[in-house]
Amino acid sequence: MKKTLLKHISLALLLTASLSACDVDRIPETQLSDPAFWKTERDLQGAANFLYTYLPGLPNTDDNWSDDTYARAPNGISDGTRIAPATDGTYNNSYQLIRAANNIIEKAPLALNTGVAPATVDRYIAEARFFRAWGYYTLFQRYGGVPLILSVLKENSPELFAPASTREEVIQSIYKDLDFAVEKLPTPTQLGTANYGRISKTAALALKSRAALFEGTRSKFHGYGDYKAHLSISLAASKAIIDSKEHDLFASYYNLFQLAGEGRQNRENILVKQYGVSTSEIVLTHAAARNLENGAASPTRNLVDSYLMTDGLPIEKSPLYKKPTVSTEVFSNRDERLSSTIMRSGDSYIGTNPIFSVSVLAFQLTGFLSKKYFNTDDWTLQRSNIDGVVIRYAEVLLNYAEASYELNESISDADLELTINKLRTRGKIAKLTNAFASANGLSIRNEIRRERHVELAVEGFRYWDLIRWKTAEVELVKPIIGNFFFKSEFGTATAVKLTADNYILVQEATFRRFDPAKDYLWPIPINELALNPNLKQNPNW
């Protein structure tokens, strides 16, 4: 399926290369003439394939917005220095995706006139509605209420000058699209190996679970709306995936992000962005290894210290923890996901330096190097075909656990066993129970959040979690601190600032700020406000 889907995506890119960058994004009538195009299933599939190009690519550097990773320069979102931009690629790209999805939703029924089965037409409309929901969720996270455009617009359409819809209107539109997709899409089993990579019923459920958890917890901690309604939706969607038995955890956490974790045999993957067929048959590639080695997203001490000891206790409580004297001791008696996420001495590294010893501080400013998607052969080739994970089953388990807890302010040991403890077992650490938490003075809420923190590390979740929990104002104003400075290993060639207790100080707290009166929403691009006088800027921007 990878070869077929990628080739069709390549064709779709050629067909749609002349898409306008404006918000209307009209497809020229001479390019895809309705009578000539919307006739066969192949036509519908070709149009739908273009939507897959909007899935996020690699490497994922979104955690640079948070306290978990740092690049080679300050990040304006993370440290609060950004200003409202004239344009925003995310805003424009999301509406381009929405426009392309609307076009399929409106035009696909034309294929009924040439004998294409209604179920087939509905399937591709369902894919389009999934991607429309994806586009609106991307906007919703950032800007809150945005204009809802649910049809293909013309230059004189009144919707071009419509005000933003409310948060509730946008999230309900997302739910409605995903409900249609859940009803009409095939299961992963029905897709099989031949159609691996296409949107499935469980992918639609997973996105619904994600979106509803975001709005449910955001409304709970920010104090608006009916948070229980959204959390109930997230819980039900997550449970439907669990009960489907379509997915399970992959045995190796490390291999989830390597070629060994690709394809239908890895039932943890719910949705991936597929890359090139092979190094000899290139369609689409990424350069995650090169970018990570050059410091695109270097993990921080905040992330590393979040990993538990093997006894299930945090480092500040566990008798197993000893302050490291050499870099390898950072990983001693720890959750195995740490050594699968962060490069350690002895790991395979790069062509010019085959065995990793310690981070190069001129590039990896924190003294830590992310290991997900890092592959030595790919570094040498300067391109990689490893698929990018977009949604995986582990997230669904975490969504279920958190939604359950936040609905009830408690969670049963049975539900912890169903969710959190499956992840802990893979990490080879002690299980979490209510009795264990009570005996050790642990907060169940914090432990559920910790589990999410480490399981989904460097995958782009941390910033949005801080936003919805309303803890960004606490966490993002702290200094960015890196690894312990092991002088015998790091040497003295690179001058670095250190804390009083000898950790690498990457960015001081005096250079970080977060304004809760404005920074929980992103600024609407200024050009969009000029184009639509009824569109209002988010508060205090």
Side-chain angles (χ1 to χ4, degrees), residues 66-105:
S66 75
D67 53 353
D68 268 6
T69 63
Y70 194 87
R72 293 177 63 183
N75 184 282
I77 297 172
S78 169
D79 64 20
T81 60
R82 63 176 165 167
I83 59 175
T87 61
D88 185 324
T90 298
Y91 191 96
N92 292 336
N93 287 341
S94 295
Y95 274 113
Q96 287 175 20
L97 171 59
I98 290 162
R99 196 282 169 198
N102 284 340
N103 195 54
I104 294 171
I105 293 165

mmCIF file of all heavy atoms in Angstrom, residues 66-105:
data_model
loop_
_atom_site.group_PDB
_atom_site.id
_atom_site.type_symbol
_atom_site.label_atom_id
_atom_site.label_comp_id
_atom_site.label_asym_id
_atom_site.label_seq_id
_atom_site.Cartn_x
_atom_site.Cartn_y
_atom_site.Cartn_z
ATOM 1 N N SER A 66 7.565 24.281 24.004
ATOM 2 C CA SER A 66 7.314 23.926 25.400
ATOM 3 C C SER A 66 8.604 23.972 26.208
ATOM 4 O O SER A 66 9.563 24.650 25.854
ATOM 5 C CB SER A 66 6.686 22.531 25.464
ATOM 6 O OG SER A 66 7.658 21.539 25.227
ATOM 7 N N ASP A 67 8.611 23.225 27.295
ATOM 8 C CA ASP A 67 9.785 23.120 28.163
ATOM 9 C C ASP A 67 10.510 21.798 27.969
ATOM 10 O O ASP A 67 11.376 21.456 28.769
ATOM 11 C CB ASP A 67 9.362 23.273 29.628
ATOM 12 C CG ASP A 67 8.227 22.317 30.026
ATOM 13 O OD1 ASP A 67 7.686 21.630 29.133
ATOM 14 O OD2 ASP A 67 7.879 22.275 31.223
ATOM 15 N N ASP A 68 10.180 21.065 26.918
ATOM 16 C CA ASP A 68 10.730 19.722 26.723
ATOM 17 C C ASP A 68 11.900 19.645 25.760
ATOM 18 O O ASP A 68 12.736 18.749 25.878
ATOM 19 C CB ASP A 68 9.632 18.768 26.232
ATOM 20 C CG ASP A 68 8.935 18.058 27.380
ATOM 21 O OD1 ASP A 68 9.221 18.399 28.545
ATOM 22 O OD2 ASP A 68 8.116 17.174 27.109
ATOM 23 N N THR A 69 11.942 20.505 24.762
ATOM 24 C CA THR A 69 13.062 20.515 23.822
ATOM 25 C C THR A 69 13.441 21.954 23.506
ATOM 26 O O THR A 69 12.656 22.883 23.709
ATOM 27 C CB THR A 69 12.755 19.774 22.501
ATOM 28 O OG1 THR A 69 11.682 20.437 21.812
ATOM 29 C CG2 THR A 69 12.407 18.324 22.737
ATOM 30 N N TYR A 70 14.651 22.114 23.001
ATOM 31 C CA TYR A 70 15.174 23.444 22.679
ATOM 32 C C TYR A 70 16.002 23.316 21.409
ATOM 33 O O TYR A 70 16.732 22.344 21.226
ATOM 34 C CB TYR A 70 16.045 23.956 23.834
ATOM 35 C CG TYR A 70 16.362 25.432 23.779
ATOM 36 C CD1 TYR A 70 15.498 26.363 24.332
ATOM 37 C CD2 TYR A 70 17.540 25.879 23.188
ATOM 38 C CE1 TYR A 70 15.791 27.723 24.309
ATOM 39 C CE2 TYR A 70 17.846 27.237 23.151
ATOM 40 C CZ TYR A 70 16.965 28.157 23.711
ATOM 41 O OH TYR A 70 17.251 29.501 23.674
ATOM 42 N N ALA A 71 15.870 24.287 20.530
ATOM 43 C CA ALA A 71 16.653 24.280 19.289
ATOM 44 C C ALA A 71 17.956 25.048 19.513
ATOM 45 O O ALA A 71 18.430 25.200 20.642
ATOM 46 C CB ALA A 71 15.824 24.867 18.158
ATOM 47 N N ARG A 72 18.510 25.581 18.454
ATOM 48 C CA ARG A 72 19.781 26.293 18.580
ATOM 49 C C ARG A 72 19.586 27.797 18.741
ATOM 50 O O ARG A 72 20.564 28.559 18.720
ATOM 51 C CB ARG A 72 20.665 25.974 17.376
ATOM 52 C CG ARG A 72 21.103 24.520 17.357
ATOM 53 C CD ARG A 72 21.916 24.185 16.128
ATOM 54 N NE ARG A 72 23.165 24.928 16.055
ATOM 55 C CZ ARG A 72 24.013 24.848 15.044
ATOM 56 N NH1 ARG A 72 23.742 24.055 14.017
ATOM 57 N NH2 ARG A 72 25.131 25.544 15.035
ATOM 58 N N ALA A 73 18.339 28.204 18.878
ATOM 59 C CA ALA A 73 18.027 29.615 19.087
ATOM 60 C C ALA A 73 16.753 29.689 19.916
ATOM 61 O O ALA A 73 15.955 28.749 19.933
ATOM 62 C CB ALA A 73 17.852 30.334 17.753
ATOM 63 N N PRO A 74 16.512 30.789 20.599
ATOM 64 C CA PRO A 74 15.284 30.926 21.388
ATOM 65 C C PRO A 74 14.038 30.793 20.523
ATOM 66 O O PRO A 74 14.044 31.104 19.332
ATOM 67 C CB PRO A 74 15.401 32.345 21.978
ATOM 68 C CG PRO A 74 16.865 32.631 21.976
ATOM 69 C CD PRO A 74 17.403 31.940 20.755
ATOM 70 N N ASN A 75 12.971 30.314 21.146
ATOM 71 C CA ASN A 75 11.697 30.148 20.447
ATOM 72 C C ASN A 75 10.707 31.167 20.983
ATOM 73 O O ASN A 75 10.431 31.208 22.186
ATOM 74 C CB ASN A 75 11.177 28.724 20.658
ATOM 75 C CG ASN A 75 9.916 28.448 19.882
ATOM 76 O OD1 ASN A 75 8.830 28.865 20.279
ATOM 77 N ND2 ASN A 75 10.046 27.749 18.766
ATOM 78 N N GLY A 76 10.150 31.985 20.098
ATOM 79 C CA GLY A 76 9.266 33.063 20.522
ATOM 80 C C GLY A 76 7.987 32.594 21.173
ATOM 81 O O GLY A 76 7.414 33.303 22.007
ATOM 82 N N ILE A 77 7.510 31.412 20.806
ATOM 83 C CA ILE A 77 6.306 30.870 21.436
ATOM 84 C C ILE A 77 6.635 30.398 22.843
ATOM 85 O O ILE A 77 5.922 30.674 23.806
ATOM 86 C CB ILE A 77 5.727 29.728 20.594
ATOM 87 C CG1 ILE A 77 5.280 30.254 19.223
ATOM 88 C CG2 ILE A 77 4.555 29.055 21.311
ATOM 89 C CD1 ILE A 77 4.873 29.173 18.251
ATOM 90 N N SER A 78 7.749 29.684 22.975
ATOM 91 C CA SER A 78 8.161 29.149 24.267
ATOM 92 C C SER A 78 8.508 30.241 25.272
ATOM 93 O O SER A 78 8.144 30.152 26.443
ATOM 94 C CB SER A 78 9.367 28.228 24.072
ATOM 95 O OG SER A 78 9.965 27.889 25.294
ATOM 96 N N ASP A 79 9.199 31.284 24.805
ATOM 97 C CA ASP A 79 9.672 32.287 25.776
ATOM 98 C C ASP A 79 8.844 33.566 25.792
ATOM 99 O O ASP A 79 9.172 34.526 26.477
ATOM 100 C CB ASP A 79 11.151 32.608 25.563
ATOM 101 C CG ASP A 79 11.451 33.255 24.214
ATOM 102 O OD1 ASP A 79 10.537 33.812 23.585
ATOM 103 O OD2 ASP A 79 12.617 33.218 23.787
ATOM 104 N N GLY A 80 7.734 33.590 25.016
ATOM 105 C CA GLY A 80 6.800 34.695 25.106
ATOM 106 C C GLY A 80 7.198 35.961 24.401
ATOM 107 O O GLY A 80 6.679 37.042 24.706
ATOM 108 N N THR A 81 8.095 35.882 23.410
ATOM 109 C CA THR A 81 8.559 37.097 22.738
ATOM 110 C C THR A 81 7.898 37.339 21.385
ATOM 111 O O THR A 81 8.162 38.356 20.749
ATOM 112 C CB THR A 81 10.079 37.041 22.522
ATOM 113 O OG1 THR A 81 10.411 35.895 21.715
ATOM 114 C CG2 THR A 81 10.820 36.961 23.848
ATOM 115 N N ARG A 82 7.031 36.449 20.924
ATOM 116 C CA ARG A 82 6.444 36.613 19.598
ATOM 117 C C ARG A 82 5.455 37.777 19.570
ATOM 118 O O ARG A 82 4.904 38.182 20.603
ATOM 119 C CB ARG A 82 5.735 35.336 19.157
ATOM 120 C CG ARG A 82 4.561 34.963 20.045
ATOM 121 C CD ARG A 82 3.821 33.755 19.551
ATOM 122 N NE ARG A 82 2.945 33.239 20.601
ATOM 123 C CZ ARG A 82 1.999 32.349 20.407
ATOM 124 N NH1 ARG A 82 1.788 31.871 19.199
ATOM 125 N NH2 ARG A 82 1.267 31.922 21.414
ATOM 126 N N ILE A 83 5.214 38.265 18.376
ATOM 127 C CA ILE A 83 4.201 39.278 18.141
ATOM 128 C C ILE A 83 3.233 38.745 17.092
ATOM 129 O O ILE A 83 3.502 37.740 16.435
ATOM 130 C CB ILE A 83 4.819 40.605 17.680
ATOM 131 C CG1 ILE A 83 5.616 40.400 16.363
ATOM 132 C CG2 ILE A 83 5.716 41.189 18.759
ATOM 133 C CD1 ILE A 83 6.151 41.686 15.770
ATOM 134 N N ALA A 84 2.095 39.402 16.946
ATOM 135 C CA ALA A 84 1.121 38.958 15.951
ATOM 136 C C ALA A 84 1.747 39.043 14.562
ATOM 137 O O ALA A 84 2.240 40.097 14.167
ATOM 138 C CB ALA A 84 -0.128 39.821 16.028
ATOM 139 N N PRO A 85 1.736 37.937 13.793
ATOM 140 C CA PRO A 85 2.381 37.926 12.483
ATOM 141 C C PRO A 85 1.476 38.497 11.390
ATOM 142 O O PRO A 85 0.250 38.531 11.543
ATOM 143 C CB PRO A 85 2.637 36.439 12.243
ATOM 144 C CG PRO A 85 1.461 35.785 12.910
ATOM 145 C CD PRO A 85 1.166 36.629 14.135
ATOM 146 N N ALA A 86 2.091 38.913 10.303
ATOM 147 C CA ALA A 86 1.300 39.347 9.149
ATOM 148 C C ALA A 86 0.586 38.156 8.532
ATOM 149 O O ALA A 86 -0.596 38.228 8.186
ATOM 150 C CB ALA A 86 2.192 40.033 8.126
ATOM 151 N N THR A 87 1.302 37.060 8.388
ATOM 152 C CA THR A 87 0.723 35.826 7.848
ATOM 153 C C THR A 87 1.169 34.666 8.727
ATOM 154 O O THR A 87 2.128 34.768 9.491
ATOM 155 C CB THR A 87 1.179 35.565 6.400
ATOM 156 O OG1 THR A 87 2.614 35.423 6.368
ATOM 157 C CG2 THR A 87 0.757 36.698 5.480
ATOM 158 N N ASP A 88 0.476 33.551 8.593
ATOM 159 C CA ASP A 88 0.789 32.360 9.381
ATOM 160 C C ASP A 88 0.537 31.150 8.494
ATOM 161 O O ASP A 88 -0.592 30.917 8.048
ATOM 162 C CB ASP A 88 -0.091 32.312 10.625
ATOM 163 C CG ASP A 88 0.253 31.166 11.567
ATOM 164 O OD1 ASP A 88 0.603 30.082 11.063
ATOM 165 O OD2 ASP A 88 0.160 31.337 12.789
ATOM 166 N N GLY A 89 1.592 30.378 8.229
ATOM 167 C CA GLY A 89 1.466 29.228 7.350
ATOM 168 C C GLY A 89 0.457 28.214 7.846
ATOM 169 O O GLY A 89 -0.266 27.598 7.051
ATOM 170 N N THR A 90 0.386 28.025 9.162
ATOM 171 C CA THR A 90 -0.579 27.069 9.710
ATOM 172 C C THR A 90 -2.003 27.499 9.408
ATOM 173 O O THR A 90 -2.849 26.683 9.033
ATOM 174 C CB THR A 90 -0.383 26.916 11.225
ATOM 175 O OG1 THR A 90 0.922 26.395 11.473
ATOM 176 C CG2 THR A 90 -1.415 25.968 11.819
ATOM 177 N N TYR A 91 -2.290 28.770 9.574
ATOM 178 C CA TYR A 91 -3.629 29.294 9.305
ATOM 179 C C TYR A 91 -3.986 29.087 7.829
ATOM 180 O O TYR A 91 -5.051 28.541 7.503
ATOM 181 C CB TYR A 91 -3.663 30.781 9.661
ATOM 182 C CG TYR A 91 -5.047 31.395 9.687
ATOM 183 C CD1 TYR A 91 -5.744 31.503 10.878
ATOM 184 C CD2 TYR A 91 -5.649 31.881 8.532
ATOM 185 C CE1 TYR A 91 -7.014 32.083 10.937
ATOM 186 C CE2 TYR A 91 -6.910 32.450 8.561
ATOM 187 C CZ TYR A 91 -7.590 32.552 9.767
ATOM 188 O OH TYR A 91 -8.840 33.112 9.796
ATOM 189 N N ASN A 92 -3.093 29.500 6.948
ATOM 190 C CA ASN A 92 -3.369 29.377 5.516
ATOM 191 C C ASN A 92 -3.451 27.924 5.064
ATOM 192 O O ASN A 92 -4.356 27.537 4.318
ATOM 193 C CB ASN A 92 -2.284 30.106 4.708
ATOM 194 C CG ASN A 92 -2.351 31.607 4.892
ATOM 195 O OD1 ASN A 92 -3.394 32.156 5.228
ATOM 196 N ND2 ASN A 92 -1.232 32.286 4.690
ATOM 197 N N ASN A 93 -2.510 27.102 5.518
ATOM 198 C CA ASN A 93 -2.504 25.699 5.103
ATOM 199 C C ASN A 93 -3.746 24.959 5.582
ATOM 200 O O ASN A 93 -4.280 24.096 4.877
ATOM 201 C CB ASN A 93 -1.251 24.997 5.630
ATOM 202 C CG ASN A 93 0.003 25.415 4.903
ATOM 203 O OD1 ASN A 93 -0.061 25.945 3.795
ATOM 204 N ND2 ASN A 93 1.156 25.209 5.515
ATOM 205 N N SER A 94 -4.193 25.280 6.792
ATOM 206 C CA SER A 94 -5.394 24.611 7.322
ATOM 207 C C SER A 94 -6.603 24.931 6.462
ATOM 208 O O SER A 94 -7.413 24.040 6.151
ATOM 209 C CB SER A 94 -5.632 25.042 8.765
ATOM 210 O OG SER A 94 -4.583 24.602 9.605
ATOM 211 N N TYR A 95 -6.738 26.184 6.057
ATOM 212 C CA TYR A 95 -7.879 26.529 5.212
ATOM 213 C C TYR A 95 -7.736 25.979 3.791
ATOM 214 O O TYR A 95 -8.728 25.676 3.131
ATOM 215 C CB TYR A 95 -8.123 28.040 5.211
ATOM 216 C CG TYR A 95 -8.994 28.469 6.375
ATOM 217 C CD1 TYR A 95 -8.476 29.251 7.402
ATOM 218 C CD2 TYR A 95 -10.326 28.064 6.461
ATOM 219 C CE1 TYR A 95 -9.275 29.626 8.482
ATOM 220 C CE2 TYR A 95 -11.122 28.431 7.528
ATOM 221 C CZ TYR A 95 -10.592 29.209 8.538
ATOM 222 O OH TYR A 95 -11.392 29.568 9.606
ATOM 223 N N GLN A 96 -6.507 25.822 3.317
ATOM 224 C CA GLN A 96 -6.309 25.152 2.030
ATOM 225 C C GLN A 96 -6.772 23.698 2.111
ATOM 226 O O GLN A 96 -7.436 23.186 1.199
ATOM 227 C CB GLN A 96 -4.834 25.214 1.629
ATOM 228 C CG GLN A 96 -4.366 26.589 1.186
ATOM 229 C CD GLN A 96 -2.881 26.633 0.906
ATOM 230 O OE1 GLN A 96 -2.252 25.596 0.675
ATOM 231 N NE2 GLN A 96 -2.300 27.816 0.939
ATOM 232 N N LEU A 97 -6.411 23.039 3.198
ATOM 233 C CA LEU A 97 -6.859 21.661 3.410
ATOM 234 C C LEU A 97 -8.379 21.598 3.498
ATOM 235 O O LEU A 97 -9.023 20.725 2.888
ATOM 236 C CB LEU A 97 -6.226 21.099 4.677
ATOM 237 C CG LEU A 97 -6.742 19.737 5.172
ATOM 238 C CD1 LEU A 97 -6.543 18.657 4.118
ATOM 239 C CD2 LEU A 97 -6.066 19.347 6.480
ATOM 240 N N ILE A 98 -8.967 22.497 4.244
ATOM 241 C CA ILE A 98 -10.420 22.527 4.390
ATOM 242 C C ILE A 98 -11.094 22.759 3.050
ATOM 243 O O ILE A 98 -12.100 22.114 2.720
ATOM 244 C CB ILE A 98 -10.819 23.613 5.416
ATOM 245 C CG1 ILE A 98 -10.392 23.168 6.823
ATOM 246 C CG2 ILE A 98 -12.319 23.902 5.371
ATOM 247 C CD1 ILE A 98 -10.339 24.293 7.838
ATOM 248 N N ARG A 99 -10.520 23.646 2.250
ATOM 249 C CA ARG A 99 -11.095 23.914 0.926
ATOM 250 C C ARG A 99 -11.029 22.671 0.045
ATOM 251 O O ARG A 99 -11.995 22.312 -0.633
ATOM 252 C CB ARG A 99 -10.350 25.073 0.264
ATOM 253 C CG ARG A 99 -11.062 25.709 -0.927
ATOM 254 C CD ARG A 99 -10.955 24.910 -2.186
ATOM 255 N NE ARG A 99 -11.853 25.431 -3.217
ATOM 256 C CZ ARG A 99 -12.219 24.763 -4.256
ATOM 257 N NH1 ARG A 99 -11.814 23.523 -4.426
ATOM 258 N NH2 ARG A 99 -13.018 25.286 -5.154
ATOM 259 N N ALA A 100 -9.893 21.980 0.067
ATOM 260 C CA ALA A 100 -9.746 20.776 -0.744
ATOM 261 C C ALA A 100 -10.707 19.684 -0.275
ATOM 262 O O ALA A 100 -11.291 18.955 -1.093
ATOM 263 C CB ALA A 100 -8.305 20.273 -0.678
ATOM 264 N N ALA A 101 -10.900 19.574 1.033
ATOM 265 C CA ALA A 101 -11.852 18.594 1.572
ATOM 266 C C ALA A 101 -13.279 18.954 1.180
ATOM 267 O O ALA A 101 -14.067 18.088 0.770
ATOM 268 C CB ALA A 101 -11.713 18.523 3.087
ATOM 269 N N ASN A 102 -13.631 20.240 1.296
ATOM 270 C CA ASN A 102 -14.972 20.679 0.893
ATOM 271 C C ASN A 102 -15.251 20.364 -0.564
ATOM 272 O O ASN A 102 -16.368 19.984 -0.935
ATOM 273 C CB ASN A 102 -15.119 22.186 1.122
ATOM 274 C CG ASN A 102 -15.323 22.554 2.577
ATOM 275 O OD1 ASN A 102 -15.724 21.721 3.386
ATOM 276 N ND2 ASN A 102 -15.056 23.805 2.919
ATOM 277 N N ASN A 103 -14.232 20.507 -1.392
ATOM 278 C CA ASN A 103 -14.404 20.247 -2.818
ATOM 279 C C ASN A 103 -14.776 18.786 -3.068
ATOM 280 O O ASN A 103 -15.660 18.474 -3.871
ATOM 281 C CB ASN A 103 -13.117 20.602 -3.569
ATOM 282 C CG ASN A 103 -13.322 20.701 -5.064
ATOM 283 O OD1 ASN A 103 -14.194 21.427 -5.543
ATOM 284 N ND2 ASN A 103 -12.517 19.966 -5.816
ATOM 285 N N ILE A 104 -14.121 17.875 -2.354
ATOM 286 C CA ILE A 104 -14.432 16.453 -2.491
ATOM 287 C C ILE A 104 -15.828 16.154 -1.942
ATOM 288 O O ILE A 104 -16.607 15.409 -2.556
ATOM 289 C CB ILE A 104 -13.367 15.610 -1.780
ATOM 290 C CG1 ILE A 104 -12.014 15.749 -2.478
ATOM 291 C CG2 ILE A 104 -13.786 14.141 -1.713
ATOM 292 C CD1 ILE A 104 -10.854 15.141 -1.728
ATOM 293 N N ILE A 105 -16.151 16.722 -0.791
ATOM 294 C CA ILE A 105 -17.462 16.483 -0.172
ATOM 295 C C ILE A 105 -18.584 16.903 -1.117
ATOM 296 O O ILE A 105 -19.613 16.217 -1.240
ATOM 297 C CB ILE A 105 -17.551 17.228 1.172
ATOM 298 C CG1 ILE A 105 -16.561 16.619 2.182
ATOM 299 C CG2 ILE A 105 -18.972 17.187 1.734
ATOM 300 C CD1 ILE A 105 -16.296 17.475 3.394
#
